[in-house]
Amino acid sequence: MIKLTVNGKKKTFTGAPFKRLIDVLREDFAITGTKEGCGEGECGACTVLLDGKPVNSCLVPVCQAEGRKIETVESLGTPEKLSKLQSGFLACGGAQCGICTPGMLITAHAHLKSGGGRDSKSVRTALSGNLCRCTGYQDIVKSVISAARSRKK
Amino acid sequence: MRGDAKSMTVLSPRSDAEALKTYAKFPGAIPFAGGTDLMVAWNLGLLNGRAVLDLSRVAAWRKIQVVSDGVDLGSLTTHVQIQAHPILRKKFPLLVAACATVGAAQIQNRGTIGGNIANASPAGDTFPALAVYEATVRIAAPAGRRAVPIADIFAGVKRTTLKPGELIEAVFLPFVKTPARGVFRKVGTRAAQSISKTVFAGLIWTAKSGMVEEARLAFGSMAPTVRRLHAAEAFLRGRRLNDVAIAAAAELMSNDVSPIDDIRSTREYRLAASRNLLVAFLRGKGDK
């Protein structure tokens, strides 16, 4: 039995310990905001925070999440009350097809929360493990910077 | 077939002693640290039915310890931990720079220095830096412990000289006298997430006269394992870094490296790019 905390709630998993964290989140816990892109740690679509740090959930077997804190895109806001970052993506057109968006949001959230730079270069470096195949990087970076500014106010 | 979680046996030792004992009992188990390479193979269905030795709970191997003559990096130290460590940033900047080029944040948060070495990719970005710092790999086994120079841990592509039952417990970095200059350079398709076409680390010490006291030059992705340029290093010792000496040193590169054509690059491109990196470094250009 594996115990972990997901978005502040204590969870228990009793299946195969080598099941990938992304599959446990989506199939066992029905927390489906996190998407799978490549399944080989290249695209960052499946990024979640493990003890506050971005990791690819397709490369983490749930046995290595035992006793640890997981945060997914669902921890950011709700449709009724979006987080500033989510509002930034909405305002600046940061989402196109949407598959990379949960990973972009949670990675950017970790970057801003940890006091990372709000300039374009810092944001681009922070998001360099998150690929967008709609080629929407300009607006994604704009979204993060605009959200960072509104956070500061 | 994709990875089948139910087919896997997970062994979860809680200490270094228990890890060694468990590994001795299950010699077919795959040591598992950050999983950034292993999980890729597993997701493709290549490791179904195997046992994995999950080392993530071995706290003793997760520490960075500064001692009198160097720094001891526990094998489970992540690329992010290395980048964040103030002494490593000051004393071993080429290793810090190398760690910043491995994948991106998601990989650097998970990938470990010991796992990187055990995986023994010809393109391992940290290896040229470890080679010029003359790091030592500390190995543990039930029978006892041993240490080998970084150059001797690699046997070939994806192969190490680790013996059955042995696990990497730490990497020791001896302090070096501050060099005149040092550089880490990686050439890939893009800045993040790419595997190196060629990767270089160089350290050079010069006398007041400008004469080279010592040069340490290493390339990755240019041979089955990381290579020091022994011939060029020996040639440069005692010489001044003028254009003639630099050109001659660059010619000697082929004594120690021999790259291949593969999916990421060609032999010709690798030789040309590596030569340019070496010449730029010796001329004192492009330093960081």
Side-chain angles (χ1 to χ4, degrees):
Chain A
M1 191 169 71
I2 292 165
K3 289 182 178 173
L4 61 162
T5 305
V6 183
N7 299 333
K9 291 188 187 111
K10 290 200 162 39
K11 298 271 183 187
T12 304
F13 174 72
T14 52
F18 213 71
K19 190 165 182 176
R20 304 182 308 171
L21 181 57
I22 184 169
D23 297 331
V24 172
L25 290 172
R26 292 178 57 86
E27 295 168 9
D28 297 274
F29 299 160
I31 301 171
T32 55
T34 306
K35 311 297 181 208
E36 177 166 12
C38 66
E40 47 188 68
E42 291 284 345
C43 77
C46 69
T47 303
V48 301
L49 307 187
L50 178 65
D51 290 340
K53 296 194 179 101
V55 302
N56 294 311
S57 62
C58 74
L59 298 185
V60 181
V62 67
C63 59
Q64 287 200 340
E66 186 179 15
R68 304 180 72 174
K69 289 193 184 82
I70 309 298
E71 289 160 77
T72 70
V73 68
E74 284 90 346
S75 69
L76 298 183
T78 62
E80 294 74 34
K81 195 175 185 316
L82 295 174
S83 75
K84 286 204 166 117
L85 193 58
Q86 288 168 319
S87 301
F89 271 66
L90 202 57
C92 301
Q96 292 191 51
C97 86
I99 285 285
C100 76
T101 311
M104 290 285 180
L105 283 167
I106 201 80
T107 309
H109 168 73
H111 173 70
L112 296 178
K113 205 177 163 193
S114 68
R118 286 135 196 256
D119 56 295
S120 164
K121 194 176 171 220
S122 304
V123 171
R124 281 173 191 275
T125 303
L127 293 178
S128 63
N130 295 76
L131 304 185
C132 164
R133 296 293 83 173
C134 304
T135 75
Y137 294 111
Q138 300 290 0
D139 289 341
I140 291 169
V141 173
K142 231 186 273 170
S143 304
V144 176
I145 293 172
S146 115
R149 285 195 187 128
S150 73
R151 248 164 109 121
K152 224 178 174 180
K153 274 176 205 162
Chain B
M1 167 121 191
R2 296 289 300 268
D4 174 13
K6 288 194 193 77
S7 76
M8 306 299 287
T9 306
V10 180
L11 308 164
S12 304
R14 307 268 155 177
S15 69
D16 51 348
E18 202 186 322
L20 293 171
K21 222 165 109 185
T22 310
Y23 196 27
K25 212 167 146 191
F26 299 91
I30 310 168
F32 181 38
T36 52
D37 283 303
L38 188 142
M39 288 303 289
V40 176
W42 184 76
N43 283 345
L44 291 169
L46 302 176
L47 302 174
N48 285 337
R50 299 285 298 268
V52 291
L53 184 68
D54 177 6
L55 299 171
S56 63
R57 291 165 188 82
V58 182
W61 292 351
R62 214 179 301 130
K63 290 181 196 148
I64 298 177
Q65 279 172 300
V66 181
V67 292
S68 62
D69 55 344
V71 181
D72 215 40
L73 301 176
S75 55
L76 300 174
T77 306
T78 65
H79 294 83
V80 161
Q81 275 178 284
I82 291 171
Q83 290 173 68
H85 197 277
I87 305 286
L88 294 173
R89 295 178 71 89
K90 197 170 164 207
K91 300 284 188 183
F92 302 99
L94 308 191
L95 180 64
V96 169
C99 287
T101 70
V102 175
Q106 288 90 333
I107 299 296
Q108 292 166 25
N109 275 323
R110 292 278 297 160
T112 66
I113 191 80
N116 200 206
I117 292 170
N119 194 54
S121 161
D125 290 321
T126 59
F127 306 161
L130 294 174
V132 296
Y133 287 127
E134 301 191 335
T136 307
V137 180
R138 296 207 291 105
I139 298 163
R145 293 176 146 77
R146 66 184 180 109
V148 299
I150 185 76
D152 297 342
I153 194 76
F154 302 114
V157 176
K158 297 254 173 189
R159 284 189 299 120
T160 67
T161 55
L162 288 171
K163 294 179 197 137
E166 287 188 332
L167 293 168
I168 298 173
E169 63 175 347
V171 177
F172 178 71
L173 293 162
F175 286 133
V176 290
K177 207 171 71 169
T178 308
R181 55 179 192 269
V183 76
F184 172 84
R185 297 287 300 274
K186 165 172 170 171
V187 179
T189 310
R190 64 197 285 275
Q193 296 292 52
S194 64
I195 297 171
S196 297
K197 297 169 192 279
T198 176
V199 53
F200 172 73
L203 289 173
I204 202 156
W205 290 265
T206 50
K208 275 201 180 113
S209 62
M211 195 184 73
V212 175
E213 286 175 334
E214 187 180 359
R216 296 186 192 170
L217 312 163
F219 276 103
S221 288
M222 291 289 286
T225 63
V226 64
R227 290 291 155 85
R228 286 275 294 270
L229 302 184
H230 295 294
E233 291 178 5
F235 173 80
L236 288 170
R237 197 168 300 128
R239 288 178 199 270
R240 272 171 229 285
L241 289 171
N242 55 35
D243 285 353
V244 177
I246 290 171
E251 283 308 307
L252 289 170
M253 198 174 76
S254 57
N255 282 41
D256 293 291
V257 295
S258 184
I260 57 166
D261 292 340
D262 68 7
I263 188 169
R264 280 183 287 283
S265 190
T266 62
R267 172 181 168 85
E268 198 184 356
Y269 177 87
R270 286 185 159 112
L271 284 170
S274 299
R275 189 195 151 90
N276 292 344
L277 292 179
L278 179 62
V279 168
F281 170 62
L282 294 175
R283 284 187 180 153
K285 287 180 184 161
D287 287 17
K288 278 180 192 166

